[in-house]
Amino acid sequence: MNNHLRTLRADRGWSQADLAAALGVSRQTVNALETGRYDPSLPLAFKIARVFEQPIEAIFSDTGA
Amino acid sequence: MAREARVSEQPLRRYGAVMGVCVLAGMAAGAVAGVVSATSDEASLGGAALIAAAVALAMAAALWACFRWWKGLDEAAQEAHKWAWWWGSTVGLCFAGVILMTLLYGAGDLGEAPIKSILMLGTAIVTGCQMVGYSVAWAAWWFRRR
């Protein structure tokens, strides 16, 4: 699964630690999410969407689709 | 909706606290076992019950500490531990099986060792291999996602 987390974060001038604090996860988790090597759970995906004020589909895309 | 757990901001300190509780609980149970062994010449049902109770209390304390620690982990950290627990421990168990079978049937005459020593050696081999496997798998999970 691909995502635009890094771009969205950079557009807002947030560090990974800032995003991690907003999401209630560790910075390592944010890094794993951004590299696309860890897919979030549904509740975390919804939280990410709320933080960035974007629909989930605008942030995550399914590579198998 | 399930209540969200608060992710720990100092995971190493929290992990150290859990290890501290486990060590203290183990030492307390060991102290009880040592006193029971030292104060009675023969094994008794009462002594065994006392040791079992002390170890059970130590296990309960360790599980409580682990539960508190687990609730402070975020979902990726929990996933890493679950993956490492399954694959790391399973592979470690395979290694332990090789070692144990080799010792049992391929190492020749090992002499007459006390049953307790044999039991502890087998336990140490299995848990040691599983812990090494778990640690390697946990590190590999995070290394692949850095």
Side-chain angles (χ1 to χ4, degrees):
Chain A
M1 190 173 293
N2 293 325
N3 65 71
H4 307 292
L5 278 177
R6 184 161 287 173
T7 305
L8 289 168
R9 178 176 61 79
D11 288 344
R12 288 158 177 76
W14 294 348
S15 65
Q16 285 188 338
D18 293 334
L19 180 56
L23 295 175
V25 299
S26 65
R27 191 198 61 77
Q28 289 78 12
T29 297
V30 168
N31 187 61
L33 286 166
E34 288 184 353
T35 56
R37 293 177 182 175
Y38 175 73
D39 295 329
S41 68
L42 205 51
L44 182 56
F46 273 105
K47 187 182 279 191
I48 291 170
R50 276 198 303 273
V51 165
F52 287 114
E53 296 177 329
Q54 301 255 336
I56 288 182
E57 295 83 0
I59 303 174
F60 298 96
S61 56
D62 184 9
T63 53
Chain B
M1 182 183 292
R3 184 169 64 92
E4 285 188 4
R6 197 179 63 189
V7 173
S8 172
E9 295 180 0
Q10 295 183 314
L12 281 181
R13 179 178 291 185
R14 201 176 181 113
Y15 188 74
V18 172
M19 288 295 109
V21 169
C22 293
V23 168
L24 286 174
M27 287 174 65
V32 170
V35 167
V36 169
S37 296
T39 55
S40 51
D41 294 328
E42 293 178 355
S44 68
L45 195 58
L50 200 57
I51 292 173
V55 175
L57 272 175
M59 294 295 182
L63 279 174
W64 170 83
C66 287
F67 177 74
R68 292 292 305 270
W69 164 73
W70 183 262
K71 286 181 71 74
L73 297 178
D74 66 21
E75 60 177 60
Q78 289 183 354
E79 180 66 23
H81 283 292
K82 281 187 260 183
W83 192 89
W85 179 255
W86 172 256
W87 286 111
S89 296
T90 299
V91 171
L93 200 56
C94 292
F95 275 94
V98 170
I99 294 171
L100 288 174
M101 289 298 122
T102 303
L103 285 176
L104 272 174
Y105 300 111
D109 184 14
L110 295 177
E112 292 293 325
I115 291 290
K116 287 183 180 179
S117 297
I118 296 172
L119 193 61
M120 291 309 298
L121 177 63
T123 302
I125 289 172
V126 170
T127 54
C129 286
Q130 286 191 300
M131 284 173 60
V132 169
Y134 176 91
S135 301
V136 169
W138 179 84
W141 193 95
W142 280 111
F143 182 78
R144 288 176 57 198
R145 287 161 181 79
R146 60 187 169 83

